[in-house]
Amino acid sequence: MTSTRRNFLGLTLFGLTAAAVGCSPAGAGGGAETRTLRYQGWAGDVTLPELAADLGYLGDVRLEWVGNTTSGPQDIQSAATGQVDFGGAFNGAVVKLKAAGAPIKSVIGYYGSDEAAFSGFYVLEDSPIRSARDLIGKKVGMNTLGAHHEAMLGIYLKRNGLSPDEIKKVEPIAVPPVNIEQSVRQNQIEVGVLGGILRDKALEKGGLRKLFSDFDLLGAFTAGTYVFTEKFLKDNPNTVRTFVSGVAQAIEWSRTTPRDEVVARKVDILTKRGRNEDPAALRYWRSTGVAEKGGRIVDKELSLWVDWLAERGEITKDQVRLTDLYTNEFNGVAA
């Protein structure tokens, strides 16, 4: 799973209106619930819903792939406007979209950080950078600004005693993920954020040293959630319950099944769906990173981003309530 799905800086939110969001034809007018869920996938990846379907955990609920998404924010905005039935993104993006007035609600966590799945902030092995204070005046390359990685950088700097003025002197810059390692090695940036296959391949080459990671800062935590519109939840509660509980089962299957078997299953799914994709990245899969059993959502996984966005002045805390942001009522595994 790539860090791209955590992005939300460029999300166009304020054009959404009550009339524009939540307009899914499924189950409308009190009719029969839909048993088909439209969704966007990720090129070269197998999502948890796709894994759940292949394992038989979705029962008679069918997934209808409508194409691939480019980012988490785009995915949940598509769900909010009814172009798909569900979408997933970094929790900061979910909070921001909700604050903008979109009637969405998170129903299950689907990725996060743990000892195996994390985003690390890396420097050259012989770099003089050893502490947060050493970052003053330095460039930190990350996949996008205003999202998960910039939040982690800010938390790290603040926890290590830098003042707001000193923090402003640390320069986060956006670098395409595939270029981050090279940018560090060529001294174009002093620090680069790497995760997943890009991290593992870079470390195989040697010459890099981890300064800190999101797991070092926060321990194991779920970073992103799947959302539906409130209208879809109201019109299709049984379908959503089947979907959420099935994804929860897939999370636990991934957690308890030997890694090689999980990878083999994902490669098989990707190959047989015939989308002309390279399975190379799947072979580096280590963990979903989901912290709670069955993807159960807890307050702190969203309140962290409410506080961070409020500190940045992007939202006010009274724009969102945690009780409106998520529900675990459809999760039969985590209930």
Side-chain angles (χ1 to χ4, degrees), residues 3-4 6-10 142-150 173-175 177:
S3 56
T4 308
R6 302 177 180 187
N7 310 349
F8 68 95
L9 182 66
M142 55 192 65
N143 66 315
T144 192
L145 301 183
H148 181 98
H149 296 152
E150 189 174 357
I173 62 171
V175 179

Side-chain angles (χ1 to χ4, degrees), residues 248-284:
Q249 286 180 276
I251 290 170
E252 293 308 305
W253 180 86
S254 299
R255 199 191 306 272
T256 58
T257 302
R259 176 182 173 276
D260 288 349
E261 290 184 31
V262 178
V263 169
R265 187 82 179 222
K266 284 173 170 279
V267 170
D268 180 63
I269 293 169
L270 183 142
T271 303
K272 69 186 181 185
R273 70 190 181 193
R275 299 179 195 167
N276 194 29
E277 301 164 284
D278 184 354
L282 290 177
R283 303 187 192 282
Y284 284 80

Side-chain angles (χ1 to χ4, degrees), residues 98-119:
K98 183 72 172 182
I104 57 170
K105 185 166 282 191
S106 294
V107 292
I108 188 171
Y110 74 99
Y111 85 88
S113 293
D114 59 19
E115 289 181 311
F118 63 87
S119 292

Side-chain angles (χ1 to χ4, degrees), residues 12-23 77 80-81 97 100-103:
T12 304
L13 301 174
F14 298 98
L16 295 176
T17 66
V21 296
C23 50
Q77 190 171 16
T81 55
L97 186 57

